[in-house]
Amino acid sequence: DADVTQTPRNRITKTGKRIMLECSQTKGHDRMYWYRQDPGLGLRLIYYSFDVKDINKGEISDGYSVSRQAQAKFSLSLESAIPNQTALYFCATSGGTSGDNEQFFGPGTRLTVL
Amino acid sequence: AQKITQTQPGMFVQEKEAVTLDCTYDTSDQSYGLFWYKQPSSGEMIFLIYQGSYDEQNATEGRYSLNFQKARKSANLVISASQLGDSAMYFCAMREYFGNEKLTFGTGTRLTIIP
């Protein structure tokens, strides 16, 4: 089974709808991240969380909110989706402050907002 | 602010040849980590190799090696004996050791291996 899972894998929604993307991990990591990937722009950080009580904005948090329901679960919400939020969304986890702790990525959620 | 630059939007390489993917970075931090990720057409992000800023030797992982030149702030990925399965997007990323520890990504290089 995958260590980092994301649901749904694909989603098409309409402008103005609320949508939630979910991320679960079995790696036991404290740190979790949400990134967004747009063509030609690489990945950009939306929100990150170091533990259940610690949630922080990334560089492009406007229009998004998150919830860390448990150590293993970190969800991303779009309160009122708009077309320019169409993108590939990745959840990632990492285990600690040691510099060589890579971030492990989920398979991604492809979101289309019409 | 940290910045990663990948100047090669696309590359075509003959199968079995070696290929170098360029990455330069900019940071004021003394402690940082450099990563390369592969993204095949299926979309997942696959970790390839890591180099710490204090590592004196270049990192190697199988056919992957990282040519780290700290003074020039470059961290090029070298793939030896390329294979058709190496065709993918490749992203260079940098992680700060303190603060939010986020990865800052470059815009990627699309590598196509020609049979």
Side-chain angles (χ1 to χ4, degrees):
Chain A
D1 290 339
D3 295 320
V4 185
T5 58
Q6 292 183 234
T7 57
R9 293 294 311 278
N10 291 280
R11 180 72 182 268
I12 300 174
T13 190
K14 295 182 178 180
T15 297
K17 293 292 186 180
R18 183 180 188 275
I19 185 168
M20 179 181 289
L21 309 182
E22 298 185 338
C23 176
S24 295
Q25 52 112 348
T26 59
K27 300 189 74 67
H29 288 167
D30 289 327
R31 288 160 170 76
M32 297 187 73
Y33 304 79
W34 275 104
Y35 291 90
R36 166 179 171 160
Q37 184 180 23
D38 296 281
L41 293 179
L43 279 73
R44 293 179 293 166
L45 182 66
I46 306 173
Y47 269 94
Y48 63 100
S49 170
F50 280 4
D51 63 40
V52 175
K53 297 180 181 179
D54 179 66
I55 292 178
N56 303 278
K57 293 182 178 180
E59 58 186 297
I60 53 165
S61 59
D62 288 348
Y64 301 95
S65 62
V66 291
S67 174
R68 186 81 183 266
Q69 300 96 324
Q71 186 203 35
K73 296 183 181 296
F74 192 37
S75 60
L76 175 72
S77 294
L78 288 68
E79 296 302 325
S80 180
I82 56 177
N84 75 3
Q85 291 178 313
T86 294
L88 183 57
Y89 290 84
F90 286 101
C91 174
T93 74
S94 70
T97 58
S98 175
D100 62 347
N101 281 345
E102 69 185 86
Q103 289 190 8
F104 296 85
F105 284 83
T109 294
R110 191 169 297 279
L111 176 66
T112 302
V113 183
L114 302 176
Chain B
Q2 296 181 329
K3 184 178 180 180
I4 296 286
T5 302
Q6 295 180 254
T7 58
Q8 305 154 311
M11 290 187 68
F12 291 85
V13 173
Q14 204 74 38
E15 187 180 9
K16 300 182 183 178
E17 291 186 350
V19 57
T20 298
L21 305 181
D22 295 340
C23 173
T24 58
Y25 60 92
D26 188 22
T27 181
S28 56
D29 293 340
Q30 296 300 310
S31 299
Y32 50 88
L34 295 158
F35 299 78
W36 277 91
Y37 284 84
K38 173 183 178 182
Q39 186 179 40
S41 58
S42 52
E44 70 267 32
M45 297 291 287
I46 301 169
F47 166 75
L48 295 179
I49 196 167
Y50 163 85
Q51 179 84 41
S53 59
Y54 291 114
D55 294 342
E56 295 184 351
Q57 291 193 337
N58 288 342
T60 60
E61 290 286 348
R63 293 188 299 113
Y64 305 107
S65 60
L66 200 153
N67 184 2
F68 180 48
Q69 298 186 43
K70 191 171 182 177
R72 299 181 60 183
K73 294 189 174 179
S74 73
N76 298 340
L77 177 70
V78 180
I79 305 174
S80 63
S82 58
Q83 302 171 355
L84 296 178
D86 294 333
S87 293
M89 284 289 289
Y90 289 81
F91 291 96
C92 179
M94 178 167 58
R95 172 183 173 176
E96 58 190 50
Y97 278 16
F98 303 101
N100 65 26
E101 300 175 20
K102 75 181 180 80
L103 289 174
T104 299
F105 284 84
T107 53
T109 296
R110 182 171 297 281
L111 176 64
T112 302
I113 306 300
I114 304 168

